[in-house]
């Protein structure tokens, strides 16, 4: 078997393990499932599982890691002359296409994260900086400013905040609708408010901001709860 063939087989097996593990997490709860149970469900020995994943955390983080890396890569490759919001929506569309048939898996994965606060804290720490840095670089290139500037920081916060809000709405809807189209609508509201859009758009934007504030509060509560759980384990 050629190296390319081996890598393809490895990805397929890893993907199968991931699907089985996520099904177990969704059914029984993330912290109630062991590596041994995942291996049994996948019809393999634990030693075989560890050839593909270092831990069950590694399985859980595999899909968001692929998603963030695909999004950041697509965003870096968008033309600098392309308007910022259009570039971001196009990058999301390209990333979704690259991930292929993982839509259902993303919904399952996202709901598990929402039900497991300490996982949210870990994922935010691992992927938040990567996404923010990539978005900041794209923003800076289009504004002719440095990634460290206040202006770039504010726009980056808006982009990532709106994305976080839309992503949560998509998850809570069970994956109904197109994320890129939802993002486009949300960015249109931001632009309408900035350019003096009509009253209905401003009202919708205020509602959007209120919901984002609630989500940020919930995220902070999750982080504090995760910290308490870690202390309790110690």
């Amino acid at each position: 078997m050629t190296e390319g063939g081996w890598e393809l087989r490895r990805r397929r097996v890893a993907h199968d393990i991931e699907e089985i593990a996520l099904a177990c997490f969704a059914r029984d709860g993330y912290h109630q499932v062991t590596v041994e149970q995942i291996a049994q469900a996948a019809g393999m020995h634990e030693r075989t599982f560890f050839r593909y994943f270092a831990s069950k955390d590694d399985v859980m983080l595999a899909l968001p890691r692929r998603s963030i890396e695909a999004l950041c890569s697509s965003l870096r490759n968008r033309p600098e002359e392309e308007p910022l919001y259009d570039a971001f929506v196009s990058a999301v569309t390209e990333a979704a296409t690259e991930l292929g048939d993982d839509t259902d898996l993303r919904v399952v994965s996202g709901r598990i994260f929402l039900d497991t606060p300490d996982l949210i804290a870990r994922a935010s720490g691992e992927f938040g900086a990567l996404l923010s840095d990539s978005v900041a670089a794209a923003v800076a290139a289009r504004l002719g400013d440095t990634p460290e500037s206040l202006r770039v920081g504010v726009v980056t916060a808006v982009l990532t905040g709106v994305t976080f809000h839309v992503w949560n709405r998509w998850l809570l809807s069970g994956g109904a609708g197109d994320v890129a189209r939802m993002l486009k609508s949300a960015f249109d509201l931001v632009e309408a408010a900035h350019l003096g859009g009509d009253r209905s758009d401003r009202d919708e934007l205020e509602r959007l901001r209120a919901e984002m504030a609630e989500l940020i509060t919930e995220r902070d509560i999750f982080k504090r709860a995760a910290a308490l759980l870690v202390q309790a384990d110690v």
Side-chain angles (χ1 to χ4, degrees):
M1 181 179 291
T2 65
E3 182 178 356
W6 164 247
E7 287 301 321
L8 178 60
R9 179 181 181 279
R10 179 178 178 81
R11 284 197 300 272
R12 286 176 176 170
V13 173
H15 194 273
D16 289 345
I17 295 173
E18 190 177 353
E19 284 188 324
I20 291 168
L22 289 176
C24 292
F25 297 152
R27 183 185 66 239
D28 301 325
Y30 178 77
H31 290 299
Q32 283 65 52
V33 177
T34 66
V35 169
E36 180 182 5
Q37 291 170 329
I38 296 171
Q40 288 179 347
M44 63 179 59
H45 194 278
E46 282 184 71
R47 288 194 300 271
T48 305
F49 171 92
F50 287 120
R51 292 175 187 168
Y52 294 89
F53 296 99
S55 65
K56 72 173 189 178
D57 282 3
D58 201 30
V59 179
M60 191 66 229
L61 294 173
L63 181 55
R65 185 178 291 120
R66 290 199 305 275
S67 300
I68 292 296
E69 289 175 351
L71 174 57
C72 291
S73 176
S74 296
L75 187 58
R76 284 193 298 269
N77 292 327
R78 298 305 304 173
E80 289 189 5
E81 64 274 11
E82 186 176 27
L84 180 60
Y85 293 150
D86 292 344
F88 198 84
V89 172
S90 295
V92 169
T93 301
E94 290 176 358
T97 300
E98 181 179 335
L99 292 170
D101 297 329
D102 278 343
T103 300
D104 291 340
L105 210 59
R106 289 201 298 274
V107 174
V108 174
S109 173
R111 296 306 292 264
I112 295 169
F113 270 103
L114 292 178
D115 292 337
T116 317
D118 51 316
L119 278 176
I120 293 180
R122 176 173 173 184
S124 297
E126 180 171 345
F127 305 127
L130 175 61
L131 179 59
S132 294
D133 289 348
S134 294
V135 173
V139 171
R142 286 162 177 79
L143 297 184
D145 209 337
T146 64
E148 297 79 18
S149 74
L150 176 62
R151 185 185 181 199
V152 169
V154 169
V155 175
T156 298
V158 170
L159 278 167
T160 54
V162 169
T163 301
F164 179 77
H165 171 80
V166 168
W167 178 253
N168 275 274
R169 287 178 67 96
W170 183 76
L171 287 176
L172 293 174
S173 73
D178 180 80
V179 173
R181 188 170 300 172
M182 292 168 68
L183 270 176
K184 178 64 167 60
S185 297
F187 290 149
D188 284 346
L189 288 174
V190 174
E191 285 193 308
H194 178 67
L195 298 174
D198 60 31
R199 180 66 186 173
S200 62
D201 278 347
R202 289 200 299 272
D203 289 345
E204 177 64 13
L205 184 60
E206 287 304 317
R207 185 186 64 77
L208 184 67
R209 285 172 175 161
E211 291 188 9
M212 286 175 59
E214 291 179 4
L215 287 169
I216 291 171
T217 299
E218 291 175 2
R219 181 191 63 190
D220 291 341
I221 292 172
F222 287 154
K223 287 183 177 180
R224 288 195 293 271
L228 290 174
L229 287 171
V230 171
Q231 292 175 5
D233 289 340
V234 174

